[in-house]
Amino acid sequence: MSAVLSIDDLGVELGPKHARRKVVRGVSLDLTAGKIQGLAGESGSGKTVTAMAVLGLLPQSAEATGSIRLGDTELIGLGQRALGKIRGMRVAMIFQDPSASLHPQITIGSQLTDHVRHHMKLKRKEARERAVELLTRVRVPDPEHALRRYPHQFSGGQRQRIAIAMALACDPEVLLADEPTTALDVTVQAGILHLLRDLVQERDLAVLLVTHDLGVMSSIADDVAVMRHGQIVESGTRQQMFTAPQHPYTRELLEAMPDAQESDVL
C-alpha cells in the first residue's frame, strides 16, 4: 500500500545560525491510510518536532532538511500560504492541550462553523448541520446545546473530543496526534483512544500518534517507531516491538512500564 505521507531523511536544526543544534536526524516514516503509526520516546527525543515539521509549525529560526511528501506535494520549503491551504484540509493536528485548538471566548458552534465555512465554503445552515454531525460522531452529549457553550463549560475529555471534531471537520487525509491523552485520567483516556481507532477505520485516516506512553502505544498503534536523541533507533509492527524489541533503549522503555499496563499489552 502506497504512503499517504512520506517523511524521508528529515533533519531539523534549531537556534541561531552561530549556535544551531540538531534536534532531529535522518528520520524516515511512511503513513498509510487506515493505519496508526506510533512515534514513541521520552521528552526531548524529537518526536513532537518531527510532527510539527510536517505542518511547517517549527520556530522561525528552525531549518528543516530532507523530504516530507503529501501525495505529489513536497512540504519542506513550501510557502506559508500554500501550507495554510493544507493545514486543516489535508493534514490536521490534535494537541495535548485542547486549549491550543479552542478559543476560550468563542462558542464551540462558532468555532466549528467558521472553520468549515472557511475551508469548505459551506453556507451557514450547512455548516451548522456539519458541526452537529461532527459533535455527534465524537460522542459529545447533546450536540445542539453544546454548540452554544464555551470550552470552559466542558470537561477535559469532552474538550479533547471537540478538538478531534475540529481536526476532522474538513475530512483530512492525515491526522497528527501529539500526546492527545496525556492530560486525561485513565478512564477518559481509554474512551479517546477507542474513538480514535474507530475514526481511523471509518475514514481511512493515516495517523501519526506521538506519545511517551508505551501503554497508549500498545493499545492503539499498528506500527511503532522509537526515537532517542533525535533519531529513530528501532521500528516495526506493534507485536514485534512489544514482544521482541531489538534495541536496548526500547527494552528499557518497556521495562519502565507499570505492571498494570504490561498486562494489557497486545
Side-chain angles (χ1 to χ4, degrees), residues 15-73:
K17 288 189 177 180
H18 65 278
R20 281 197 180 283
R21 53 194 182 89
K22 202 151 195 173
V23 295
V24 172
R25 303 175 181 84
V27 167
S28 296
L29 288 169
D30 284 339
L31 306 188
T32 56
K35 296 185 75 172
I36 298 176
Q37 170 66 60
L39 187 58
E42 59 195 348
S43 179
S45 62
K47 57 191 189 299
T48 292
V49 173
T50 298
M52 292 296 190
V54 173
L55 281 178
L57 295 176
L58 295 171
Q60 197 168 5
S61 62
E63 182 179 353
T65 58
S67 173
I68 303 176
R69 294 192 68 83
L70 176 65
D72 296 328
T73 304

Side-chain angles (χ1 to χ4, degrees), residues 163-181:
I164 292 171
M166 189 86 71
L168 298 178
C170 300
D171 288 326
E173 302 161 55
V174 177
L175 182 64
L176 310 175
D178 184 18
E179 303 275 10
T181 61

Side-chain angles (χ1 to χ4, degrees), residues 105-196:
Q105 296 177 316
I106 301 176
T107 64
I108 295 304
S110 292
Q111 293 186 63
L112 275 168
T113 55
D114 287 352
H115 183 62
V116 295
R117 289 185 73 193
H118 172 72
H119 285 291
M120 302 178 76
K121 310 303 180 190
L122 298 182
K123 295 178 180 178
R124 189 179 299 274
K125 183 182 177 184
E126 293 171 328
R128 184 178 176 80
E129 290 171 352
R130 175 71 171 160
V132 170
E133 174 195 329
L134 288 162
L135 292 182
T136 301
R137 183 59 199 88
V138 299
R139 301 176 199 141
V140 171
D142 193 1
E144 288 276 3
H145 179 60
L147 290 178
R148 300 193 293 273
R149 298 167 68 192
Y150 293 85
H152 73 271
Q153 295 176 294
F154 295 88
S155 68
Q158 287 176 336
R159 282 197 298 271
Q160 193 60 289
R161 288 174 182 272
I162 293 164
I164 292 171
M166 189 86 71
L168 298 178
C170 300
D171 288 326
E173 302 161 55
V174 177
L175 182 64
L176 310 175
D178 184 18
E179 303 275 10
T181 61
T182 297
L184 308 174
D185 66 43
V186 175
T187 304
V188 177
Q189 182 183 93
I192 296 292
L193 294 176
H194 185 70
L195 172 63
L196 277 176

